[in-house]
């Protein structure tokens, strides 16, 4: 974080200019990148996405103007341009993009302003993917996506014929779609062939070799310094001592290999454990007396459970019920005698005290 990934993308889009040196960029059909803000709040979702194809919108406007002014001799040429720009399939392609990113058909006519922040980011992503381009820049595109949408985006990007430059902290996503990794370290850009897993292997080997070279050089340096110390004052060996000193000065500085974050972390062990930890028996969960889920669930110590389901299926509802934040409509919940629950909510920010420092926040939780 903070090493300059987004700055590099901003340099390519022209939002930043190099402090020195030159930037030469052949954009070909153009460069597509995702806006962080939304400008047209009163467009419906499909039209907003179609606006991403600027050339298509220009041709459509020219057709509209020609029809309005009655200059029909231009129209045949304009419709030919529309055909070349895949204009006749554009609306269905925009709908397919939105569908892939998780928008249901019945919300496509809604205005942009009616969508929440996370869904607006998806609209911006769809608008970017709608733009014909030879270079596609994406800054953490999976941040607001659920699993289905990420899987769809992976398959879309695999088919993208241009050059893709993506910033991501999702290793599985990077493994699926990249064949080169650019790693920024100590203000230098290192390029690796292969996907993320290959990068990890190659980098580990490079660090190992660097450390071995460093250790070897340290031994050599110590040996030469010892020689100089012993024979500097001895007339017969003074010349050799001088040449060793010069050789020492010429030694290229190899720095010790270090991994950026060598911290270790351990989850504190509970003193006593109950089995089962938590049981839901014929539990009905929901809001305002309306059941959204009905289920039995038995959670044993050591289990690791992934929860999948479409948006609105009730995943967060179930988690809130397990954490004791949402009472059951009916049925029973049995908690183990020694049960202790850690709960990280979807909207965790709402439970933070913004006036407390990070350290104070932790001290309150664990005095």
């Amino acid at each position: 974080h903070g090493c300059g990934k987004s700055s590099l993308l901003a340099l390519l889009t022209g939002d930043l200019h190099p402090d020195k040196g030159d930037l030469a960029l052949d954009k070909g059909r153009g460069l597509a990148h995702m806006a962080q803000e939304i400008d047209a709040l009163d467009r419906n979702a499909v039209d907003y996405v179609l606006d991403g194809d600027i050339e298509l919108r220009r041709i459509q406007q020219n057709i509209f103007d020609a029809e309005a002014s009655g200059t029909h001799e231009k129209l045949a040429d304009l419709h030919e341009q529309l055909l070349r720009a895949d204009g006749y399939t554009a609306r269905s392609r925009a709908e397919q993009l939105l569908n892939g990113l998780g928008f249901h058909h019945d919300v496509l006519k809604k205005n942009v302003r009616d969508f929440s922040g996370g869904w607006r980011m998806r609209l911006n992503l769809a608008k970017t993917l709608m733009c014909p381009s030879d270079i596609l820049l994406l800054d953490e595109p999976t941040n607001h996506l659920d699993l289905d949408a990420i899987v769809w985006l992976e398959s879309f990007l695999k088919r993208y014929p241009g050059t893709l430059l993506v910033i991501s902290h999702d290793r599985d996503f990077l493994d699926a779609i990249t064949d080169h990794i650019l790693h920024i370290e100590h203000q230098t850009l290192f390029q690796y062939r292969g996907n993320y897993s290959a990068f990890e292997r190659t980098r580990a080997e490079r660090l190992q070799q660097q450390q071995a070279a460093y250790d070897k050089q340290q031994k050599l340096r110590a040996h030469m310094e010892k020689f100089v110390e012993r024979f500097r004052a001895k007339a017969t060996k003074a010349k050799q001592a001088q040449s060793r000193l010069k050789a020492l000065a010429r030694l290229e500085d190899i720095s010790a290999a270090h991994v950026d974050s060598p911290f270790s972390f351990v989850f504190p062990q509970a003193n006593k454990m109950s089995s089962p930890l938590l049981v839901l028996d014929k539990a009905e969960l929901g809001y305002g007396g309306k059941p959204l889920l009905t289920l039995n669930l038995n959670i044993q110590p050591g289990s690791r459970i992934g929860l999948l389901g479409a948006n609105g299926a009730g995943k967060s509802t179930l988690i809130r019920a397990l954490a004791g934040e949402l009472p059951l409509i009916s049925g029973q919940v049995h908690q183990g005698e020694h049960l202790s629950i850690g709960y990280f909510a979807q909207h965790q920010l709402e439970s933070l005290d913004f006036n407390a420092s990070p350290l104070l926040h932790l001290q309150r939780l664990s005095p």
Side-chain angles (χ1 to χ4, degrees):
H1 278 294
C3 65
K5 298 184 295 292
S6 299
S7 302
L8 179 60
L9 256 56
L11 193 68
L12 297 177
T13 58
D15 293 335
L16 269 183
H17 297 289
D19 295 329
K20 59 180 182 198
D22 296 306
L23 172 69
L25 193 64
D26 177 7
K27 293 181 182 179
R29 281 198 308 168
L31 183 144
H33 66 100
M34 203 168 137
Q36 293 303 313
E37 301 299 320
I38 279 204
D39 39 12
L41 290 171
D42 290 319
R43 307 281 281 162
N44 74 43
V46 178
D47 278 323
Y48 182 76
V49 171
L50 280 166
D51 290 344
D53 192 338
I54 294 163
E55 177 63 6
L56 172 71
R57 286 306 202 197
R58 187 189 64 77
I59 297 165
Q60 287 175 335
Q61 185 61 46
N62 288 345
I63 289 173
F64 178 81
D65 292 346
E67 283 173 344
S69 62
T71 49
H72 293 292
E73 64 277 7
K74 268 187 182 176
L75 277 172
D77 177 46
L78 286 169
H79 279 289
E80 180 60 34
Q81 287 179 32
L82 190 65
L83 186 67
R84 283 202 301 273
D86 290 332
Y88 294 106
T89 63
R91 187 161 286 272
S92 75
R93 281 186 292 120
E95 287 179 4
Q96 280 171 348
L97 284 176
L98 288 166
N99 189 254
L101 288 172
F103 290 84
H104 289 298
H105 202 267
D106 49 356
V107 302
L108 299 186
K109 299 274 194 301
K110 274 171 64 172
N111 274 5
V112 174
R113 70 167 69 253
D114 298 329
F115 292 97
S116 68
W119 287 95
R120 288 185 190 184
M121 293 313 287
R122 292 192 198 206
L123 283 173
N124 268 352
L125 180 56
K127 185 179 180 181
T128 308
L129 301 180
M130 191 70 202
C131 172
S133 63
D134 284 330
I135 301 174
L136 178 59
L137 307 179
L138 297 176
D139 193 342
E140 302 210 34
T142 60
N143 262 3
H144 298 278
L145 303 184
D146 56 33
L147 202 56
D148 290 341
I150 292 175
V151 170
W152 175 86
L153 181 62
E154 275 179 17
S155 66
F156 181 92
L157 293 175
K158 279 178 190 167
R159 297 193 306 273
Y160 174 69
T163 297
L164 170 70
L165 192 59
V166 59
I167 294 174
S168 179
H169 294 280
D170 180 337
R171 56 189 298 155
D172 293 320
F173 180 68
L174 286 173
D175 263 351
I177 59 164
T178 60
D179 52 24
H180 284 79
I181 296 287
L182 291 175
H183 184 228
I184 303 175
E185 196 176 27
H186 312 307
Q187 298 177 319
T188 309
L189 208 59
F190 295 94
Q191 183 171 343
Y192 296 82
R193 290 181 79 84
N195 63 8
Y196 183 82
S197 294
F199 152 74
E200 275 206 324
R201 281 194 303 276
T202 312
R203 180 164 179 253
E205 284 162 15
R206 188 175 73 85
L207 287 174
Q208 221 169 352
Q209 288 162 358
Q210 186 181 335
Q211 189 61 42
Y214 173 76
D215 292 342
K216 192 175 168 187
Q217 190 194 58
Q218 290 302 95
K219 270 186 190 160
L220 177 65
R221 199 182 280 266
H223 182 71
M224 288 163 94
E225 282 169 351
K226 204 170 172 188
F227 183 92
V228 172
E229 280 306 309
R230 277 175 67 195
F231 298 116
R232 187 181 255 160
K234 218 175 195 181
T236 52
K237 300 263 191 175
K239 207 169 182 184
Q240 280 168 287
Q242 283 303 319
S243 70
R244 298 277 167 110
L245 268 176
K246 282 177 186 159
L248 262 173
R250 280 200 306 272
L251 272 184
E252 182 202 353
D253 247 350
I254 299 175
S255 55
H258 81 284
V259 180
D260 281 341
S261 178
F263 81 96
S264 60
F265 178 81
V266 180
F267 283 101
Q269 280 278 316
N271 296 328
K272 289 182 177 172
M273 189 87 74
S274 306
S275 182
L277 291 170
L278 191 64
V279 176
L280 289 182
D281 186 17
K282 295 178 186 153
E284 285 196 332
L285 319 177
Y287 302 92
K290 289 184 184 160
L292 183 61
L293 290 172
T294 307
L295 76 158
N296 294 315
L297 182 66
N298 183 320
I299 299 180
Q300 295 293 335
S303 304
R304 287 165 179 262
I305 303 168
L307 202 49
L308 300 183
N311 278 333
K315 299 186 298 295
S316 297
T317 307
L318 174 55
I319 292 286
R320 289 191 63 207
L322 294 176
E325 283 212 343
L326 185 71
L328 305 185
I329 293 170
S330 69
Q332 289 182 310
V333 57
H334 304 288
Q335 294 195 343
E337 186 189 348
H338 305 294
L339 179 69
S340 167
I341 293 178
Y343 175 47
F344 182 77
Q346 186 179 9
H347 302 293
Q348 189 66 24
L349 284 178
E350 290 167 12
S351 63
L352 284 181
D353 175 1
F354 286 104
N355 295 318
S357 69
L359 190 61
L360 179 58
H361 181 70
L362 288 182
Q363 277 172 336
R364 285 172 181 168
L365 294 171
S366 180

